[in-house]
Amino acid sequence: MPVANCQTYCRMLDAARERRFAYPAINVTSLTAANAVLRGLAESRSDGIIQISTGGGAFASGSAVKDMALGAMSIAEHVHRVAERYPIYVALVTDHCLADKLDQFVIPLVEETEKRRAARRPNLFNGHMFDGSNLPLSENLDIAAKLLERFRQNELVLEIEVGVVGGEEDGVVGSADAKLYTTPADTLEVARRLKAVEGARYLLAATFGNVHGVYKPGHVKLKPTVLKDCQEAVVKTYGEMARFYFVFHGGSGSALHEIHAAVDYGVVKMNVDTDMQYAFTRAIADHMFTHYDSVLKVDGEVGSKKAYDPRSYLAVAEIAMAERVKQAVSDLRAGGTTLFKGSET
Ligand SMILES: [Zn+2]
């Protein structure tokens, strides 16, 4: 199927919240990784989300160019072309973008969408994330509300973040930092500010002890009930229509029961990056170690073209990552949920 349009993407999000499953949103930085996601989703008969970060976009544009928006567009164009061959829907979004990077990343991408729409062409992306979680909440929401207005006009879904997701760079030790847990008061303020932009759609990454990157279980305590408390508060104050669509960031290494609890409380999208990177690289490491004297020209030998042709190890990496995508789909209870009608064979 082609990349989901705005209506289909919104239907996907609604179906997930209603039926208590979530879509894996998988970061890709190459055509091979994008193909792995499509394969994994198709084999799971699940729709899903392909995501590109600022760094991933810069990488994809080439080391001599390093244009994050250009690289993101390039991967997106590829996905639009090849997605037609897979019997599922895929949505395309961009990942974390701090306020000081908006002008280099999100804004040029929105301008591209505006240009395409003016020419009656479909959107390249379904949505973008603005990460203002390092700003005071009011400032975060000032920027978010302004973006949301422009997104609404262009049928784009905004994703924002409140609270602070821990991470390696934060030197998180233990779970004492209260900022790792979003409060119902914070999310009520989000709802109050953003419901003013009528007809717009947004997703909220609220933090409940999540940590970006890798962490060993037990390092930080996940409390998915934080999400439940936030949902109850917003429904009580603003009614059922205000119920949040949550995003789970920093979930690598989470226990399955924690993932399920988060999905039960309204998580519809879970970002999966680190685990995919490992699956991809693990397969390449295996190839290199088992074909050591074929990929290298050892002791005056000539190696083996078959083993050092990049396709040989990228193909195994693609399949290994596709398998990891299938596991993510299964963890999120999304197997067999595709909305694509032609999928039942
Ligand atoms: Zn985040």
Side-chain angles (χ1 to χ4, degrees):
M1 266 292 99
V3 170
N5 62 17
C6 179
Q7 289 70 31
T8 301
Y9 183 43
C10 291
R11 276 206 297 132
M12 282 167 58
L13 299 172
D14 292 341
R17 206 184 61 183
E18 200 173 301
R19 291 155 57 191
R20 296 193 174 197
F21 66 89
Y23 298 106
I26 296 153
N27 285 67
V28 305
T29 59
S30 67
L31 303 192
T32 306
N35 296 341
V37 176
L38 292 168
R39 178 176 178 147
L41 292 174
E43 289 180 1
S44 308
R45 298 205 304 113
S46 169
D47 304 320
I49 302 167
I50 285 179
Q51 183 160 279
I52 302 157
S53 68
T54 52
F59 173 81
S61 73
S63 56
V65 176
K66 286 191 182 148
D67 180 331
M68 47 183 77
L70 180 67
M73 285 188 256
S74 176
I75 292 178
E77 296 270 10
H78 167 76
V79 172
H80 272 267
R81 285 181 178 272
V82 295
E84 306 252 3
R85 303 288 184 94
Y86 296 84
I88 44 104
Y89 288 114
V90 68
L92 273 164
V93 304
T94 57
D95 198 4
H96 291 87
C97 183
L98 299 171
D100 63 359
K101 294 253 167 62
L102 285 172
D103 286 339
Q104 293 166 68
F105 194 52
V106 170
I107 299 302
L109 294 174
V110 173
E111 284 167 355
E112 171 70 15
T113 293
E114 288 169 343
K115 244 190 282 170
R116 290 171 67 104
R117 293 174 71 87
R120 298 188 173 280
R121 293 173 63 208
N123 285 9
L124 194 52
F125 284 93
N126 297 91
H128 306 286
M129 193 211 168
F130 157 59
D131 179 7
S133 63
N134 60 343
L135 302 171
L137 184 62
S138 62
E139 224 175 291
N140 181 352
L141 294 176
D142 285 344
I143 299 172
K146 209 173 133 205
L147 283 172
L148 190 59
E149 179 60 42
R150 190 165 174 188
F151 278 33
R152 185 178 60 85
Q153 290 163 19
N154 289 292
E155 296 188 305
L156 292 165
V157 175
L158 176 67
E159 179 178 333
I160 64 160
E161 181 161 336
V162 293
V164 175
V165 175
E168 295 158 293
E169 69 270 46
D170 300 312
V172 177
V173 197
S175 59
D177 192 345
K179 281 185 178 166
L180 289 175
Y181 303 100
T182 308
T183 62
D186 286 345
T187 56
L188 277 179
E189 184 59 7
V190 170
R192 187 185 73 81
R193 291 291 308 275
L194 299 189
K195 77 184 177 58
V197 188
E198 272 179 52
R201 296 281 303 233
Y202 70 93
L203 308 174
L204 174 60
T207 57
F208 51 103
N210 345 22
V211 177
H212 284 139
V214 203
Y215 69 98
K216 290 184 182 150
H219 183 56
V220 172
K221 202 152 176 39
L222 277 183
K223 283 196 223 160
T225 51
V226 165
L227 302 177
K228 183 174 174 241
D229 297 342
C230 292
Q231 291 287 30
E232 282 171 1
V234 80
V235 170
K236 197 169 155 221
T237 308
Y238 296 114
E240 188 56 40
M241 288 299 286
R243 186 180 286 279
F244 292 115
Y245 294 78
F246 284 126
V247 185
F248 189 166
H249 287 191
S252 289
S254 302
L256 197 56
H257 71 92
E258 292 168 331
I259 295 174
H260 288 170
V263 172
D264 283 338
Y265 302 141
V267 163
V268 295
K269 169 179 183 271
M270 179 169 172
N271 292 0
V272 197
D273 186 11
T274 311
D275 290 341
M276 295 297 160
Q277 292 175 333
Y278 184 72
F280 192 92
T281 300
R282 176 72 186 73
I284 294 175
D286 186 59
H287 176 93
M288 297 303 169
F289 288 133
T290 50
H291 300 96
Y292 176 79
D293 49 9
S294 303
V295 295
L296 295 180
K297 297 181 176 180
V298 181
D299 295 335
E301 290 299 322
V302 293
S304 164
K305 178 175 157 49
K306 229 172 105 182
Y308 62 73
D309 179 336
R311 284 173 298 181
S312 63
Y313 54 86
L314 289 177
V316 292
E318 179 190 331
I319 288 169
M321 184 170 160
E323 286 302 314
R324 188 62 188 78
V325 169
K326 286 157 76 172
Q327 191 195 320
V329 166
S330 157
D331 290 350
L332 294 168
R333 306 194 289 226
T337 60
T338 181
L339 299 182
F340 175 54
K341 286 288 190 289
S343 68
E344 293 99 58
T345 46

